[in-house]
C-alpha cells in the first residue's frame, strides 16, 4: 500500500473540529505534499463524488497551494489530463463552496499556462463562454468567479479576447439572477481596475460603466454592502484613469456615490468608501469636476449630513487629538471603542477636499451662501451645520473669504454666543480656522473676536473651552503687541487660572498652547508674566507618565515660544532648566515628545545663539542619527509590479497554512516586505522634519561654533533629500541655506559676503563658503524639476537665500539651469505642473492661483537683485509669461504676484530694463492700478514708484496718467484692513519716488496735500525710509508749500512718526536732523 493512499483519510481528518487531530493530519500530510505524486491523489479526492463535500473542498484548497510548485515537473500529457480534470470538476461539482474553491486552483494553473509567450490552455475561455450561456444560474455565476480569480492573467495575456469578454459582461450585468449580476460586477470591476492605466484596453470596457452603476444600485437596494465596497474600490481606481471614455461616465459615478452617502441604511464604512471616490476625483480632476458635476448638489449633500447628525461637528478638531475623545464627556450611546468613520467626519472631509481643490469660482459662492443662510436659521442643527461648514472650507477658500470677511465674520461671532452648545463649539472651530487662514484681514475683527472668546473660556462645556483656546492660539500668533495689550492681563490670568483648576487634558493642553501664542503676540510686553508662567511650565515639564506626555510637550513648546517673545536677556534665568527637561524628553519612548523637543531646540538656539553652543557636541549627532534613521520606506517598486502582486494572488488563505509550499513560506513575492515598506508613522515623519529644522536653526545662530558639524550635516541632509516624502525634501531645502549662513559667519567679517550686483568676475567668497554654496546649489537646483509643488517651492526659496547671501559668484555655475527652470515654471511646462496641463482642455481657463508660484517669482526677483543689468539679455523671455499672469482673467493673487515681480525686476535692474517700459511695465502698472482688488492695486502702486525711480525722466511723460490712476487709491479707508492700509501706503511711496525721480514733472501743489494726509504709514513700514527721505529732501531743498501752507501738516506727520515704535531709528534721526527734535 502506498503512503499516498492515506491522503483521502488525512483530508477527512482535516475537516474534524478537533485541533489535535488536524495538527497530526497536517504533520502526516506535509512530507507527502512535497512529492509531485500528491497532485494526482488530490485530484482524485476532488473529483470523487462519494467523498464528503468538506473533503472535496479541502482537497481543492491544498491543491491550489501545491500545484504551482509541482506542475512544471509533469509531462505534457499529464498536464493536459490535470487541466481537463479541473474543468470537469468545475462543470460537474454540485456544491457551490467546492466550486468556488476549485476556481482558485484553475486560476492558479491558468497563470502558469497562459503567459505573454502563448496560451497553452486554449480550452479555458471557451469553457467560460459556454458557462455564461448555461441555463443554470450557478454555472453562469461560476464563469465570473473564474474570470475574477484570473484578473491578472486576463488583463496581461488575453487582450485579443477583450471584445468577446465585454459582450459576456454586458449580458451578465442584465442577467435575471442577482447572484450572476453580482459576480459579473465584481469580476468586471477587478479587470477595469487592473487596466486603469491601459487607456486603449480600458476603453473597450468603459461602455459598461452605466450597467455597472445600475447593477451596483441594485446591490445597494438589497443591502449587499460587500459588493458595494468592491465597486467603490474600482471606482476609486477609475478616478485615476486618463481615458476620455471613462471620464464621460464620471458625473454618473459621482451621482451614484452621492446616493450611497445619502443612504442612512448603509454602514458608515460603505458610505466612507463612496466619499473617498468623490474626494479622490476632486483631487485628481478638479477642473473636470467643476465643469461636469453639479457642485451645489455636492455641497447640499455634505452640509445636510452634518445638519442631521447628532455628533459634534467640531469633531475634526478632536480627531487630530484622539486622546481627547476619551477625555471629553460624550452622552451618546455609541460604542466607546468605536474608531471608524463618522457621518460628520465623512461630510467634513469631503467639504475640505472640495474647497481645497475645486476652482474657487465653482465652490466659494455656493458654499458661503449655504453657510450664511444656515447660520441665520432658527434651528440649532442648521446653525451648527452652517458655521461648522464655513470653518471647514475656510482653508481652501481663504483667498476669497478674506475679501468677504465683512459679510461672514459677524454671523460667526454671533454663533459664538449661541444658546446651543454645539453651535458655540463649532463657532470656536470656525473662528480658529478663519484666524489661521484669513490673515491679516481677520485682525480687523480682533476686538470682537477676543471679547467673544474671552467669554467662552468660562463656558460650561469642556469642548467649547478647548476650542476657545484653539482660537486664541491661532489668532494671537498673528497679533501685534499693541493689538493684544488691552487683553493681555486678563487673558493671561484667565489662562493661568484654567491651567490651575482644569482637570481635563484637552483643556490644559490647549490653555498652554494659547499662553504660548499670547506670549508670541505680546513680545516683550509679556516679560512681567514670565516668572509665574515659567514656574507653571516648569512643573509641567517634569511630568513623566505616558498619558501626560502631550501636556509635557506643550509646556516645553511654550517655554520655547516665550523665549522668542521676551528675547535672550529676559529668558536667560530659565534657559538651563528648559534645556535639562527638553533633553530628558529625548530619553523617553515617545516620538511625539521628541518632535516637541526639536522644536524647542530650534527656538532656543535662535534666541540664545552662541550660549546654546555647549550642547552641540552631544545634540547634533543625536539629530543626525534620527534624520538618517530608516523607517522601512523601502525601495520604490514599479506600479505594474505592485498591480501584479495585487491581482495575481487571492487574499492569503490562512486555512491549513502549515501545508503551504515550503518554497512559498518565505513570502517569495515580497508582499509582506512591500506592505511593511509602504507605511511610515506620521509621528516619525514630523519628528524628522522638526529635527532638520532644529539642525538648520543651530547652524544659523550658533555661528562658528557649528563649524565642526558642517560637513557631516551636509551629508545627512543630502541623504535625507533622497527620502520619498515631499515634506522631508522641503525641510531639507529649508535647512541647506543655514549651513551656508554658518560658513559665512565663520569666514567673513560681520557675517556678510561683500558681493557686488552684476559683477560676474569677482568671487568674494572664502574657499569654504564657495565650496559649500556650490555643493548646496548642486543638490537644490535639480529640485526645480521635482514633480511635487511644495518641493519646488522649497527649492526656489533655498536658491534665493543662497544667492542673495553669496552673490553672483554662487549663481554663475548653475545660472543656466536656474534660469531655464524658472522659465519652465512660469510657462507651466515643468513636471510639477503636468497634471494641470493634462486636465485642461483647449477651451479651459487656467484661473486658479498656485501658491508655489509666489516662490518662483520671488526667485526671479532674487536673481535680478544678484545679476542686476546682466539679466537684461534674458529678460524678454520672462516678460511674456509674466504678462500672462497679469491678465484680468487671472485670479487676483496671480495678478498681484506678477505685477509685484515686475516691480522687483525694475527696482533691481534699473536702466537695463528701460527698453521694456512702454511695452511691458507701463501697461501692467496701469491695469493693476485700475484693478478692483487691493492686493493688486498695492503691488501696482509699488511697481509704478520703482519704475519711476529706476527709469528716471523716461517715465515722466506718463506721470499724468499714473497720477490719475493713483488718485483713487487715496480714497480707500485704511482702517478697513491691512490690505487696504498697505494699498494706501504704497500709493504714498509711489508719489515719493516720483517726486524724487522727476520733480519737474510733478504738480506738487496738488500732490503734496494728498501725500501728507496719507502719512504716517499704517501698515507697510518697509516704505518708511522712502516716504520720509523724500519729505526730508524736498524740505531741505526749500519746497515752498512744505515751508508755507503745509507747514502745520508737516509738523503733524513728523511728530507722529517720531512717536511711532515701528519707524526705524535711522529714519527718526533724519527727521530730527531736518525738522528738529522738538517737533
Amino acid at each position: 500500500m502506498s503512503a499516498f493512499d492515506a491522503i483521502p483519510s488525512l483530508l477527512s481528518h482535516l475537516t474534524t473540529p478537533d485541533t489535535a487531530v488536524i495538527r497530526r493530519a497536517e504533520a502526516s500530510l506535509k512530507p507527502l505534499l512535497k512529492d509531485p505524486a500528491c497532485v494526482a491523489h488530490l485530484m482524485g479526492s476532488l473529483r470523487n463524488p462519494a467523498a464528503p463535500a468538506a473533503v472535496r473542498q479541502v482537497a481543492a484548497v491544498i491543491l491550489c497551494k501545491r500545484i504551482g510548485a509541482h506542475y512544471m515537473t509533469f509531462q505534457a500529457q499529464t498536464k493536459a489530463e490535470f487541466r481537463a480534470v479541473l474543468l470537469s470538476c468545475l462543470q460537474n461539482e454540485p456544491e457551490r463552496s467546492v466550486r468556488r474553491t476549485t476556481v482558485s486552483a484553475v486560476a492558479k494553473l491558468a497563470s502558469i499556462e497562459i503567459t505573454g509567450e502563448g496560451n497553452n490552455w486554449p480550452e479555458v475561455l471557451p469553457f467560460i463562454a459556454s458557462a455564461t450561456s448555461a441555463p443554470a444560474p450557478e454555472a453562469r455565476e461560476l464563469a465570473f468567479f473564474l474570470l475574477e480569480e484570473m484578473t491578472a492573467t486576463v488583463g496581461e495575456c488575453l487582450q485579443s479576447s477583450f471584445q468577446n469578454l465585454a459582450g459576456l459582461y454586458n449580458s451578465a450585468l442584465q442577467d435575471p439572477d442577482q447572484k450572476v449580476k453580482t459576480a459579473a460586477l465584481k469580476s468586471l470591476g477587478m479587470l477595469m481596475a487592473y487596466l486603469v492605466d491601459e487607456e486603449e484596453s480600458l476603453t473597450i470596457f468603459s461602455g459598461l460603466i452605466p450597467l455597472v452603476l445600475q447593477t451596483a444600485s441594485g446591490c445597494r437596494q438589497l443591502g449587499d454592502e460587500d459588493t458595494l465596497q468592491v465597486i467603490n474600490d474600482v471606482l476609486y481606481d477609475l478616478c485615476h484613469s486618463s481615458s476620455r471614455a471613462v471620464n464621460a461616465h464620471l458625473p454618473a459615478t459621482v451621482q451614484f456615490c452621492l446616493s450611497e452617502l445619502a443612504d442612512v441604511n448603509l454602514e458608515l464604512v460603505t458610505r466612507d468608501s463612496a466619499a473617498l471616490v468623490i474626494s479622490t476625483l476632486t483631487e485628481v480632476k478638479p477642473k473636470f469636476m467643476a465643469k461636469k458635476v453639479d457642485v451645489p448638489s455636492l455641497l447640499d449633500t455634505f452640509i445636510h449630513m452634518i445638519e442631521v447628525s447628532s455628533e459634534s461637528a467640531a469633531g475634526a478638531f478632536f480627531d487630530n487629538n484622539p486622546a481627547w475623545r476619551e477625555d471629553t464627556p460624550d452622552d451618546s450611546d455609541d460604542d466607546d471603542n468605536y474608531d471608524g468613520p463618522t457621518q460628520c467626519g465623512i461630510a467634513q472631509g469631503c467639504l475640505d477636499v472640495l474647497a481645497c481643490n475645486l476652482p474657487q469660482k465653482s465652490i466659494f459662492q455656493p458654499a458661503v451662501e449655504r453657510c450664511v443662510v444656515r447660520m441665520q436659521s432658527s434651528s440649532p442643527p442648521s446653525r451648527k451645520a452652517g458655521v461648522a461648514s464655513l470653518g471647514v472650507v475656510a482653508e481652501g477658500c481663504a483667498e476669497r473669504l478674506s475679501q468677504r470677511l465683512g459679510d461672514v465674520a459677524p454671523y460667526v461671532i454671533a454663533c459664538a454666543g449661541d444658546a446651543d452648545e454645539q453651535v458655540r463649539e463649532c463657532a470656536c472651530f470656525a473662528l480658529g480656522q478663519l484666524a489661521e487662514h484669513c490673515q491679516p484681514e481677520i485682525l480687523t475683527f480682533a476686538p470682537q473676536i477676543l471679547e467673544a472668546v474671552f467669554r467662552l473660556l468660562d463656558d460650561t462645556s469642556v469642548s467649547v473651552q478647548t476650542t476657545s483656546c484653539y482660537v486664541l492660539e491661532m489668532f494671537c500668533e498673528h497679533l501685534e503687541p499693541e493689538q493684544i495689550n488691552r487683553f493681555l492681563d486678563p487673558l493671561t490670568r484667565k489662562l493661568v487660572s484654567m491651567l490651575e483648576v482644569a482637570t481635563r487634558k484637552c483643556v490644559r493642553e490647549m490653555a498652554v498652547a494659547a499662553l504660548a501664542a499670547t506670549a508670541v503676540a505680546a513680545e516683550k510686553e509679556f516679560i512681567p508674566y514670565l516668572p509665574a508662567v515659567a514656574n507653571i511650565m516648569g512643573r509641567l515639564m517634569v511630568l513623566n507618565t505616558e498619558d501626560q506626555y502631550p501636556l509635557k510637550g506643550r509646556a516645553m513648546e511654550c517655554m520655547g515660544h516665550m523665549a522668542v517673545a521676551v528675547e535672550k536677556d529676559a529668558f536667560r534665568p530659565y534657559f538651563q532648566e528648559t534645556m535639562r527637561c527638553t533633553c530628558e524628553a529625548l530619553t523617553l519612548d515617545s516620538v511625539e515628545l521628541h518632535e516637541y523637543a526639536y522644536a524647542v531646540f530650534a527656538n532656543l538656539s535662535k534666541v540664545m545663539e552662541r550660549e546654546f553652543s555647549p550642547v552641540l557636541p552631544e545634540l547634533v549627532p543625536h539629530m543626525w542619527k534620527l534624520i538618517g534613521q530608516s523607517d522601512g520606506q523601502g525601495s520604490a517598486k514599479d506600479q505594474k509590479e505592485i498591480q501584479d502582486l495585487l491581482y495575481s494572488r487571492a487574499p492569503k488563505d490562512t486555512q491549513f497554512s502549515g501545508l503551504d509550499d515550503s518554497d512559498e513560506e518565505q513570502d517569495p513575492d515580497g508582499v509582506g516586505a512591500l506592505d511593511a515598506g509602504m507605511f511610515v508613522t506620521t509621528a516619525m515623519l514630523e519628528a524628522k522634519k522638526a529635527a532638520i529644522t532644529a539642525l538648520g536653526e543651530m547652524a544659523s545662530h550658533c555661528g562658528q561654533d557649528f563649524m565642526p558639524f558642517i560637513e557631516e550635516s551636509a551629508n545627512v541632509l543630502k541623504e535625507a533629500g533622497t527620502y520619498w516624502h515631499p515634506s522631508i525634501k522641503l525641510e531639507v531645502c529649508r535647512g541647506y541655506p543655514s549651513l551656508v549662513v554658518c560658513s559665512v559667519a565663520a569666514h567673513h567679517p560681520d557675517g556678510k559676503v561683500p558681493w557686488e550686483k552684476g559683477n560676474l568676475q569677482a568671487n568674494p567668497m572664502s574657499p569654504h563658503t564657495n565650496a559649500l554654496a556650490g555643493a548646496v546649489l548642486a543638490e537644490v537646483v535639480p529640485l526645480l524639476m521635482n514633480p511635487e509643488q511644495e518641493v519646488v517651492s522649497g527649492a526656489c526659496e533655498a536658491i534665493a537665500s543662497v544667492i542673495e547671501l553669496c552673490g553672483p559668484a554662487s549663481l554663475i555655475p548653475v545660472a543656466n539651469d536656474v534660469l531655464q527652470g524658472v522659465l519652465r515654471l512660469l510657462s507651466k511646462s515643468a513636471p510639477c505642473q503636468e497634471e494641470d496641463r493634462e486636465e485642461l482642455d483647449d477651451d479651459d481657463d487656467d484661473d486658479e492661483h498656485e501658491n508655489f508660484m509666489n516662490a518662483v517669482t520671488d526667485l526671479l526677483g532674487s536673481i535680478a537683485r544678484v545679476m542686476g543689468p546682466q539679466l537684461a539679455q534674458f529678460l524678454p523671455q520672462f516678460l511674456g509669461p509674466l504678462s500672462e499672469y497679469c491678465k484680468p482673467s487671472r485670479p487676483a493673487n496671480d495678478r498681484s504676484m506678477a505685477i509685484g515681480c515686475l516691480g522687483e525686476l525694475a527696482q533691481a535692474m534699473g536702466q537695463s530694463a528701460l527698453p521694456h517700459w512702454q511695452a511691458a511695465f507701463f501697461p501692467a502698472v496701469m491695469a493693476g492700478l485700475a484693478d478692483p482688488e487691493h492686493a493688486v492695486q498695492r503691488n501696482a502702486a509699488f511697481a509704478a514708484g520703482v519704475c519711476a525711480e529706476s527709469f528716471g525722466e523716461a517715465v515722466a511723460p506718463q506721470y499724468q496718467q499714473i497720477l490719475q490712476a493713483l488718485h483713487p487709491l487715496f480714497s480707500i479707508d485704511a482702517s478697513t484692513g491691512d490690505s487696504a492700509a498697505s494699498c494706501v501706503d504704497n500709493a504714498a511711496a509711489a508719489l515719493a519716488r516720483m517726486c524724487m525721480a522727476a520733480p519737474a514733472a510733478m504738480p506738487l501743489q496738488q500732490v503734496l496735500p494728498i501725500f501728507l494726509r496719507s502719512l504716517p504709514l499704517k501698515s507697510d513700514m518697509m516704505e518708511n525710509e522712502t516716504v520720509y527721505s523724500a519729505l526730508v529732501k524736498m524740505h531741505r531743498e526749500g519746497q515752498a508749500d512744505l515751508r508755507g501752507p503745509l507747514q502745520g501738516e508737516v509738523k503733524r506727520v513728523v511728530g507722529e512718526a517720531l512717536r511711532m515704535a515701528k519707524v526705524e531709528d535711522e529714519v527718526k534721526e533724519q527727521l530730527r536732523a531736518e525738522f528738529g527734535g522738538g517737533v
Side-chain angles (χ1 to χ4, degrees):
M1 177 178 174
S2 166
F4 292 101
D5 293 336
I7 284 181
S9 175
L10 293 173
L11 294 178
S12 179
H13 290 166
L14 290 177
T15 67
T16 64
D18 189 325
T19 302
V21 172
I22 292 174
R23 290 288 174 263
R24 287 195 296 271
E26 285 183 338
S28 299
L29 268 173
K30 194 159 188 176
L32 299 177
L33 297 180
K34 291 182 178 181
D35 192 316
C38 73
V39 174
H41 291 272
L42 290 170
M43 290 271 192
S45 293
L46 175 61
R47 63 177 177 175
N48 180 6
V55 171
R56 300 200 302 274
Q57 184 172 4
V58 170
V61 169
I62 299 175
L63 184 63
C64 185
K65 292 175 180 288
R66 309 300 297 203
I67 197 168
H70 298 317
Y71 184 73
M72 296 309 293
T73 65
F74 299 124
Q75 297 294 320
Q77 183 177 350
T78 304
K79 290 179 183 178
E81 291 172 357
F82 285 157
R83 294 197 299 268
V85 167
L86 284 176
L87 292 182
S88 174
C89 288
L90 276 184
Q91 188 171 13
N92 298 313
E93 173 58 54
E95 294 292 332
R96 186 173 187 271
S97 59
V98 181
R99 290 197 303 271
R100 191 71 181 87
T101 310
T102 306
V103 159
S104 297
V106 174
K108 179 78 172 180
L109 208 55
S111 68
I112 299 172
E113 290 286 26
I114 304 174
T115 67
E117 298 176 359
N119 182 356
N120 296 321
W121 198 357
E123 296 87 1
V124 168
L125 284 183
F127 175 86
I128 291 172
S130 175
T132 62
S133 59
E138 293 80 5
R140 302 197 299 275
E141 179 189 34
L142 175 72
F144 294 102
F145 283 162
L146 183 51
L147 281 173
E148 180 184 351
E149 291 274 359
M150 290 176 58
T151 294
T153 301
V154 171
E156 198 68 32
C157 308
L158 296 175
Q159 296 93 332
S160 60
S161 301
F162 281 177
Q163 289 288 359
N164 292 335
L165 288 174
L168 298 182
Y169 284 120
N170 182 70
S171 298
L173 290 173
Q174 301 175 73
D175 196 283
D177 189 280
Q178 184 62 38
K179 287 184 178 180
V180 177
K181 287 198 287 190
T182 300
L185 186 64
K186 290 182 177 180
S187 173
L188 176 59
M190 295 292 284
L191 182 58
M192 292 179 73
Y194 185 86
L195 298 172
V196 71
D197 293 325
E198 307 294 333
E199 183 170 349
E200 184 177 345
S201 297
L202 188 59
T203 299
I204 296 173
F205 297 99
S206 61
L208 298 172
I209 292 178
L211 274 176
V212 168
L213 298 177
Q214 179 182 329
T215 307
S217 294
C219 292
R220 179 175 69 81
Q221 293 165 7
L222 293 171
D224 182 2
E225 298 199 38
D226 290 341
T227 301
L228 279 181
Q229 290 181 33
V230 170
I231 294 308
N232 287 339
D233 289 344
V234 172
L235 297 177
Y236 166 83
D237 288 331
L238 292 181
C239 290
H240 296 86
S241 170
S242 58
S243 168
R244 289 180 179 269
V246 170
N247 286 349
H249 302 291
L250 290 179
T253 298
V254 172
Q255 288 304 313
F256 167 71
C257 292
L258 279 180
S259 71
E260 291 182 273
L261 281 166
D263 190 342
V264 294
N265 295 314
L266 296 179
E267 296 288 338
L268 284 169
V269 172
T270 303
R271 297 166 75 189
D272 190 42
S273 66
L276 180 62
V277 176
I278 295 176
S279 296
T280 303
L281 189 55
T282 303
E283 291 175 331
V284 175
K285 300 177 180 179
K287 293 184 174 66
F288 179 91
M289 284 284 286
K291 289 181 65 177
K292 303 295 186 183
V293 173
D294 183 7
V295 173
S297 71
L298 294 176
L299 293 170
D300 287 335
T301 298
F302 300 138
I303 297 176
H304 180 72
M305 288 173 66
I306 298 171
E307 188 170 349
V308 299
S309 171
S310 61
E311 304 157 3
S312 165
F317 174 62
F318 287 87
D319 286 344
N320 291 327
N321 304 275
W324 291 359
R325 287 201 296 269
E326 40 190 75
D327 189 44
T328 306
D330 185 0
D331 296 330
S332 70
D333 296 327
D334 295 339
D335 183 0
D336 290 339
N337 297 317
Y338 179 71
D339 196 32
T342 64
Q343 181 164 304
C344 267
I346 292 169
Q348 288 179 304
C350 289
L351 279 176
D352 181 51
V353 172
L354 291 180
C356 290
N357 292 277
L358 290 183
Q360 290 297 287
K361 67 179 182 181
S362 304
I363 180 73
F364 174 74
Q365 194 65 31
V368 170
E369 285 176 353
R370 283 160 172 76
C371 293
V372 169
V373 167
R374 283 170 173 79
M375 283 191 286
Q376 299 177 79
S377 170
S378 60
S379 164
S382 292
R383 296 197 299 275
K384 175 194 77 170
V387 73
S389 299
L390 184 71
V392 171
V393 303
E395 179 181 3
C397 297
E399 178 187 343
R400 298 198 181 191
L401 192 55
S402 296
Q403 300 160 13
R404 290 272 305 277
L405 279 177
D407 301 329
V408 174
Y411 296 112
V412 181
I413 295 170
C415 286
D418 200 278
D420 186 88
E421 176 184 320
Q422 286 195 343
V423 177
R424 296 196 306 276
E425 180 186 25
C426 292
C428 288
F429 169 67
L431 285 173
Q433 290 293 97
L434 294 176
E436 183 174 359
H437 301 295
C438 295
Q439 293 290 342
E441 288 80 5
I442 190 66
L443 299 181
T444 304
F445 300 91
Q448 302 97 303
I449 292 175
L450 286 175
E451 287 177 6
V453 173
F454 201 82
R455 291 192 303 271
L456 291 169
L457 291 174
D458 287 322
D459 202 279
T460 55
S461 163
V462 171
S463 60
V464 172
Q465 288 181 2
T466 306
T467 44
S468 299
C469 292
Y470 160 67
V471 177
L472 285 175
E473 180 187 11
M474 293 297 102
F475 200 76
C476 292
E477 282 182 356
H478 302 278
L479 290 176
E480 299 292 340
E482 58 268 23
Q483 292 172 302
I484 201 173
N485 275 348
R486 170 185 165 191
F487 300 93
L488 181 57
D489 186 72
L491 182 56
T492 304
R493 292 180 185 277
K494 181 61 187 173
L495 290 171
V496 167
S497 173
M498 289 176 68
L499 262 178
E500 297 286 7
V501 302
T503 57
R504 299 199 179 277
K505 289 179 288 186
C506 55
V507 176
R508 301 188 79 198
E509 286 177 36
M510 289 310 298
V512 173
L515 272 171
T518 301
V520 169
E523 297 179 359
K524 288 188 175 182
E525 298 297 323
F526 196 77
I527 290 176
Y529 306 95
L530 180 61
V533 177
N535 180 53
I536 296 173
M537 296 304 128
R539 298 200 302 268
L540 300 179
M541 285 195 297
V542 296
L543 297 171
N544 279 333
T545 57
E546 187 173 349
D547 66 321
Q548 298 288 357
Y549 283 172
L551 186 56
K552 176 187 180 78
R554 287 287 191 179
M556 290 158 39
E557 177 186 57
C558 183
M559 292 300 287
H561 284 316
M562 289 194 298
V564 173
V566 303
E567 299 182 4
K568 183 190 298 186
D569 291 339
F571 190 77
R572 187 174 286 111
Y574 311 98
F575 173 55
Q576 291 299 331
E577 180 62 12
T578 303
M579 284 297 297
R580 186 190 68 78
C581 293
T582 308
C583 288
E584 181 188 69
L586 294 179
T587 67
L588 301 176
D589 186 19
S590 169
V591 178
E592 291 86 352
L593 202 54
H594 297 175
E595 180 192 345
Y596 278 117
Y598 300 132
V600 175
F601 293 142
N603 281 328
L604 293 184
S605 63
K606 185 188 306 181
V607 173
M608 305 308 295
E609 298 177 309
R610 296 186 68 179
E611 292 182 37
F612 187 90
S613 298
V615 302
L616 293 179
E618 184 175 358
L619 191 54
V620 172
H622 167 84
M623 291 192 297
W624 288 342
K625 183 178 179 181
L626 173 76
I627 296 168
Q629 179 178 325
S630 170
D631 52 24
Q633 62 173 313
S635 58
K637 288 204 173 189
D638 179 83
Q639 186 63 30
K640 198 65 179 174
E641 289 183 24
I642 296 174
Q643 274 194 324
D644 288 345
L645 290 177
L646 294 175
Y647 291 100
S648 63
R649 298 163 55 114
K652 185 73 173 177
D653 187 351
T654 56
Q655 189 181 25
F656 313 127
S657 56
L659 302 179
D660 284 342
D661 192 292
S662 58
D663 295 332
E664 296 177 356
E665 287 172 3
Q666 303 303 316
D667 191 16
D669 295 322
V671 175
L674 177 66
D675 290 344
M678 293 302 287
F679 296 96
V680 54
T681 66
T682 301
M684 177 58 74
L685 196 67
E686 295 301 319
K688 283 178 179 284
K689 288 166 56 179
I692 294 171
T693 300
L695 191 69
E697 294 294 348
M698 293 174 197
S700 288
H701 298 285
C702 292
Q704 65 188 40
D705 297 337
F706 196 85
M707 281 301 297
F709 310 99
I710 282 282
E711 184 176 350
E712 184 59 24
S713 293
N715 292 334
V716 168
L717 290 183
K718 181 177 181 178
E719 180 62 27
T722 65
Y723 194 84
W724 65 274
H725 201 282
S727 65
I728 296 296
K729 294 181 187 291
L730 174 60
E731 289 304 320
V732 168
C733 288
R734 291 171 174 169
Y736 268 134
S738 300
L739 303 183
V740 183
V741 169
C742 179
S743 177
V744 171
H747 295 97
H748 295 268
D750 303 321
K752 295 180 181 178
V753 178
W755 58 270
E756 178 185 350
K757 179 167 68 176
N759 187 342
L760 306 184
Q761 282 71 46
N763 186 350
M765 289 185 287
S766 70
H768 184 274
T769 301
N770 185 58
L772 182 59
V776 165
L777 289 175
E779 293 297 322
V780 172
V781 170
L783 295 178
L784 292 175
M785 294 297 106
N786 191 274
E788 298 293 337
Q789 293 182 353
E790 63 180 302
V791 176
V792 173
S793 177
C796 289
E797 293 168 2
I799 296 167
S801 297
V802 172
I803 65 175
E804 292 213 51
L805 180 63
C806 298
S810 65
L811 176 59
I812 291 170
V814 293
N816 185 63
D817 290 339
V818 172
L819 290 171
Q820 287 291 337
V822 171
L823 183 59
R824 285 188 64 181
L825 288 160
L826 286 174
S827 304
K828 291 189 171 291
S829 61
C832 68
Q833 297 155 318
E834 184 175 346
E835 286 189 9
D836 291 337
R837 292 195 304 276
E838 287 180 353
E839 193 189 350
L840 283 173
D841 293 323
D842 293 338
D843 59 346
D844 276 337
D845 291 326
D846 189 11
D847 58 355
E848 286 301 295
H849 175 71
E850 296 169 316
N851 288 327
F852 85 101
M853 287 302 298
N854 291 326
V856 176
T857 53
D858 287 347
L859 174 56
L860 184 56
S862 296
I863 295 169
R865 284 187 286 276
V866 170
M867 293 183 68
Q870 303 293 341
L871 185 61
Q873 58 183 314
F874 307 106
L875 184 59
Q877 300 177 59
F878 296 100
L879 291 178
L882 279 175
S883 67
E884 290 293 314
Y885 286 92
C886 294
K887 289 181 175 180
S889 60
R890 301 293 305 177
N893 279 359
D894 271 6
R895 303 194 302 274
S896 173
M897 173 192 77
I899 294 173
C901 184
L902 287 172
E904 291 185 355
L905 291 173
Q907 189 175 46
M909 297 178 64
Q911 288 285 321
S912 66
L914 176 58
H916 307 285
W917 160 246
Q918 290 281 3
F921 290 89
F922 180 56
V925 165
M926 294 303 293
L929 291 174
D931 199 279
E933 300 293 340
H934 289 333
V936 184
Q937 294 172 328
R938 176 194 66 212
N939 281 358
F942 166 75
V946 296
C947 284
E949 183 178 60
S950 295
F951 303 154
E953 294 286 347
V955 177
Q958 284 80 42
Y959 266 24
Q960 189 61 36
Q961 292 170 265
I962 295 173
L963 288 172
Q964 289 175 352
L966 282 170
H967 186 264
L969 274 59
F970 291 98
S971 300
I972 295 173
D973 184 357
S975 67
T976 58
D978 186 75
S979 183
S982 293
C983 191
V984 178
D985 289 349
N986 277 271
L991 292 183
R993 289 186 169 100
M994 293 169 72
C995 288
M996 295 299 94
M1002 288 288 283
L1004 293 177
Q1005 195 169 13
Q1006 290 80 40
V1007 167
L1008 288 177
I1010 297 173
F1011 175 63
L1012 291 171
R1013 278 201 303 271
S1014 66
L1015 301 181
L1017 301 181
K1018 311 298 189 298
S1019 177
D1020 193 348
M1021 299 301 162
M1022 293 183 66
E1023 294 290 9
N1024 274 329
E1025 183 176 358
T1026 300
V1027 296
Y1028 294 123
S1029 294
L1031 181 61
V1032 167
K1033 185 174 185 295
M1034 287 188 287
H1035 189 269
R1036 184 177 298 150
E1037 292 175 352
Q1039 208 287 322
D1041 294 286
L1042 294 179
R1043 291 181 177 271
L1046 297 176
Q1047 188 174 8
E1049 188 70 350
V1050 170
K1051 288 183 178 180
R1052 177 194 65 79
V1053 169
V1054 174
E1056 290 187 30
L1058 290 175
R1059 290 191 294 271
M1060 290 180 66
K1062 291 191 175 182
V1063 175
E1064 299 84 351
D1065 290 341
E1066 295 81 358
V1067 173
K1068 290 180 178 178
E1069 286 303 316
Q1070 287 185 55
L1071 292 173
R1072 291 191 184 97
E1074 181 63 26
F1075 299 102
V1079 177

